[in-house]
Amino acid sequence: MLRLPDWTKFVLVILSLGFLFGPGIQHHWRIARDPYFVPFDAVQYIPAFFKFDANDPVPTTYIKEYFLNAICPPLYKASLALGARFADVRDVQLVLMYAAYGLFVAVMGRVGWLLGGAAVSFAVMALTISAWIFIGLGFIGGAPRMYGYPLIAITLYALVRDRPRLLGLMAILGALLYPIVASIAGICLSGWLILPLFAKQSSVTRWSLRRRLATLAAAGLLTVSCLVPLLLGHDAYGRRLVAADTVNYPEAGADGNYRPYDQLPYPLFGRESLSYYLGPLYSHGDAIAPWLNLHKNLDPVTLLAALAAAGLAVLVVVSAGLSRVLQSAQRGAGIRLLGFFIVCVLLHVIAWLATPYLYIPTRYLMFSLPFIVTLIFPWSLYLLVGRIGRFQTAPRLRDCTFLAIIGVYLIAFGGRGNVEIEKGFMVAKASQPLYAAIAALPKNSLIAGWPYGEIKNIEYATRRNAFLTAQLHQVLHLEFVETMRQRMDAVFEAYFSVDAAPLRRLRDQFGVTHLLVETHHFSDPKRPPEYFSPWRSRIGPRLEAVRDKAYLMSQPLHHRAAVFNRNGLVLLDLARLP
């Protein structure tokens, strides 16, 4: 039987992926060039790098310095700071984000090729691209975690290819780009070099104990050294908040700023664990086959039942497949990959016990469980199909049968990647004149507004500094939390004031130059201002108390101090206060 050369298979894989996901690629290319596209976490991280612009630097702020010193890992910070000197850092961030995503998909495809050739490579890449969890949670926004999945992919490659040195390098790069990976790769390397079960299944078995310990010590020392700048950067902002602090700082607790599984006290194997496992079954974009896609044709309850059944089926296939792997020539790779998932589960437990000093525990599940569906499942399925008697002597028929099953999966759950993410990440057309007006203000302007409102995208889209936004209101370090509480209290008092005194305090004590007012907060009962604790419970009573006498709705104030007044958005120049 004629065998296709590898390069031909590679071309067929790329063409197939292009056919399936071409609309997604075109869609992202279009929205990435829109100046009012504001990708999620970018509003937190990217404005801090405006100060490095060689031609048009923007003054830094306390919040921006906090992100640079306490949140951004060293190489992430250095790469964007360097890029900002030569181009708009927003463009640099988008290029790096999509490049990281492309690297991630390519490495996953290579891992699939190593495990089962072109068929498994196509399946792994198709399932990876179709899954919203990767592009949605891992990449959009350009936060440091955009390097998490690519580094994990290379970690998986190192485990499959029996490359312990590459695994050590991933621990070091993880410390420089996304420390969660440093923990995962570092513990995987330790187990590989020390535990006989893992060592004897690889090239490490030929290493002396001295060489193993030296390699581990060198990787560990370099990893810890790379973490030092970030660890030292925390000091100026106080100790980390712990669960007991939520009594006095409810903004860090269950009614606080973060998603439920990111709030103190952190859950152990919470509901998000299932979300990360089943996450790849949620696609993005147009359905590949709309008339057969389960997401498009089932009601929520039935869909949930279908997803649960699919999750159980995946688990059965994976269990059966891994049992075959452990009896095959790929036993070493299988044991090391199994060890990867065990390490991530152990780190989840350890991080929970050591809260909050080993990062948010759920992150270790976020960067491991999705790969059960997108990598281990297709590999296991391929091995099981290959065990059927007739297929053992007919590899082409085996591959076609396997791809047919993957095709059924993509028809049932797959999407083409052209999801309309701009609906949540694009500045509304009605607000764009406001943004243009703010962008025309002096560079030393400092804009305040209701933190959950239009102010949230101001810094990223206009390159002008914001006093406080909900995205910038981090609740990790005690002194920073205290400072943000003072700022929010000042904004609260000014926003619900009945005279000019709180506005003058914003101007004179905090240096705020402009205050953005969203009039619907006062005029539309269905769209009141919202915020998290401890301010949530105060909003309603205060809004009622200032009804019909809110100073920010004063027409004389608007006539005297407004530099922009359109579409229910009023920008006040606090230098013009009466």
Side-chain angles (χ1 to χ4, degrees):
M1 182 182 293
L2 179 65
R3 285 179 57 86
L4 293 176
D6 283 350
W7 70 266
T8 303
K9 295 179 182 178
F10 174 76
V11 171
L12 289 174
V13 167
I14 297 302
L15 290 176
S16 300
L17 292 171
F19 171 76
L20 286 175
F21 303 109
I25 296 171
Q26 295 173 13
H27 188 74
H28 280 274
W29 172 256
R30 179 180 62 80
I31 63 174
R33 292 182 296 162
D34 192 312
Y36 288 106
F37 175 53
V38 184
F40 197 44
D41 286 340
V43 298
Q44 301 177 51
Y45 292 91
I46 302 308
F49 295 91
F50 290 158
K51 75 171 188 176
F52 297 107
D53 190 319
N55 299 316
D56 187 25
V58 175
T60 191
T61 65
Y62 172 81
I63 294 178
K64 288 181 176 181
E65 290 303 306
Y66 171 74
F67 273 85
L68 289 174
N69 296 327
I71 305 295
C72 294
L75 187 55
Y76 173 87
K77 179 166 67 174
S79 61
L80 285 175
L82 179 63
R85 297 184 185 279
F86 300 98
D88 188 328
V89 70
R90 295 170 292 188
D91 296 333
V92 173
Q93 167 253 336
L94 287 171
V95 169
L96 291 176
M97 181 182 79
Y98 285 114
Y101 182 67
L103 174 65
F104 168 60
V105 173
V107 174
M108 291 305 301
R110 178 56 179 159
V111 173
W113 197 293
L114 292 171
L115 294 176
V120 176
S121 178
F122 167 80
V124 169
M125 286 194 285
L127 269 58
T128 297
I129 297 171
S130 181
W132 167 249
I133 191 169
F134 293 121
I135 184 71
L137 292 185
F139 292 92
I140 294 297
R145 69 171 175 271
M146 73 178 181
Y147 293 109
Y149 283 122
L151 293 177
I152 289 293
I154 300 173
T155 295
L156 295 171
Y157 173 83
L159 294 170
V160 169
R161 285 286 284 165
D162 190 9
R163 297 289 190 267
R165 294 188 186 88
L166 180 59
L167 185 58
L169 179 60
M170 288 305 100
I172 297 167
L173 284 177
L176 291 169
L177 290 169
Y178 192 63
I180 295 291
V181 179
S183 301
I184 294 173
I187 300 300
C188 284
L189 180 64
S190 300
W192 191 351
L193 296 180
I194 294 174
L195 299 179
L197 175 64
F198 299 99
K200 69 181 182 181
Q201 304 294 333
S202 71
S203 59
V204 171
T205 190
R206 299 189 295 271
W207 291 17
S208 67
L209 179 61
R210 181 178 180 180
R211 182 181 179 186
R212 295 185 199 180
L213 294 177
T215 300
L216 191 58
L221 181 62
L222 288 172
T223 299
V224 172
S225 299
C226 292
L227 285 171
V228 167
L230 194 57
L231 296 175
L232 293 178
H234 294 167
D235 290 346
Y237 304 97
R239 63 169 176 82
R240 284 293 299 264
L241 267 66
V242 298
D245 290 318
T246 59
V247 175
N248 297 318
Y249 300 96
E251 53 263 61
D255 196 32
N257 192 20
Y258 297 151
R259 296 169 295 188
Y261 39 87
D262 288 346
Q263 295 169 342
L264 290 168
Y266 299 134
L268 180 66
F269 297 113
R271 286 179 297 176
E272 75 280 359
S273 306
L274 188 60
S275 299
Y276 292 140
Y277 170 60
L278 295 178
L281 297 175
Y282 287 89
S283 61
H284 56 121
D286 295 335
I288 292 173
W291 59 94
L292 294 173
N293 186 274
L294 299 186
H295 294 284
K296 303 294 183 182
N297 295 287
L298 297 182
D299 62 84
V301 175
T302 308
L303 176 61
L304 187 61
L307 292 171
L312 288 174
V314 166
L315 205 56
V316 170
V317 170
V318 166
S319 300
L322 287 179
S323 68
R324 297 292 186 185
V325 168
L326 298 180
Q327 302 169 24
S328 70
Q330 293 179 314
R331 172 180 169 84
I335 288 177
R336 291 190 293 274
L337 287 176
L338 187 59
F340 164 80
F341 291 102
I342 293 173
V343 163
C344 290
V345 170
L346 288 175
L347 282 171
H348 172 74
V349 175
I350 293 170
W352 178 76
L353 292 172
T355 297
Y357 303 106
L358 287 177
Y359 297 93
I360 299 173
T362 190
R363 293 293 186 269
Y364 297 101
L365 303 180
M366 175 180 169
F367 286 95
S368 58
L369 294 184
F371 294 103
I372 295 177
V373 173
T374 58
L375 175 64
I376 306 301
F377 166 66
W379 179 33
S380 300
L381 179 64
Y382 185 76
L383 292 174
L384 293 176
V385 170
R387 294 286 296 182
I388 299 174
R390 185 179 177 185
F391 294 155
Q392 294 183 26
T393 57
R396 186 169 294 179
L397 183 60
R398 174 202 62 200
D399 289 356
C400 289
T401 302
F402 166 75
L403 290 174
I405 298 173
I406 295 299
V408 170
Y409 173 100
L410 291 173
I411 288 172
F413 299 106
R416 309 191 74 176
N418 56 331
V419 64
E420 295 182 352
I421 59 174
E422 67 268 27
K423 286 185 176 179
F425 303 137
M426 198 75 75
V427 175
K429 288 189 179 298
S431 302
Q432 290 176 10
L434 167 70
Y435 281 66
I438 292 176
L441 294 175
K443 288 192 294 184
N444 63 350
S445 300
L446 183 60
I447 320 298
W450 191 255
Y452 262 156
E454 289 290 341
I455 195 73
K456 65 182 181 181
N457 295 325
I458 289 293
E459 285 198 326
Y460 184 90
T462 71
R463 291 173 54 92
R464 294 300 177 262
N465 290 325
F467 179 61
L468 176 68
T469 73
Q471 289 81 0
L472 298 176
H473 194 154
Q474 298 296 301
V475 288
L476 299 173
H477 299 92
L478 183 58
E479 290 186 17
F480 186 81
V481 171
E482 288 278 12
T483 301
M484 294 304 101
R485 179 174 280 197
Q486 293 170 12
R487 292 192 177 196
M488 184 55 202
D489 285 342
V491 170
F492 189 95
E493 293 300 322
Y495 211 74
F496 298 116
S497 64
V498 293
D499 57 47
L503 280 71
R504 293 194 186 96
R505 179 169 178 256
L506 268 183
R507 180 191 64 193
D508 300 338
Q509 182 175 336
F510 294 97
V512 172
T513 60
H514 295 78
L515 179 63
L516 175 60
V517 183
E518 299 178 54
T519 59
H520 67 83
H521 285 157
F522 302 93
S523 61
D524 187 349
K526 296 181 179 179
R527 299 171 64 196
E530 297 179 352
Y531 213 53
F532 47 82
S533 288
W535 298 276
R536 188 193 305 275
S537 62
R538 304 175 190 170
I539 294 173
R542 189 60 175 272
L543 194 58
E544 182 64 28
V546 301
R547 185 178 301 278
D548 300 327
K549 55 182 178 179
Y551 184 66
L552 295 187
M553 296 293 285
S554 165
Q555 289 303 312
L557 174 66
H558 294 180
H559 289 308
R560 181 185 181 102
V563 293
F564 180 91
N565 190 344
R566 195 185 310 173
N567 299 326
L569 301 172
V570 182
L571 185 65
L572 302 175
D573 184 345
L574 299 189
R576 300 183 182 179
L577 289 176

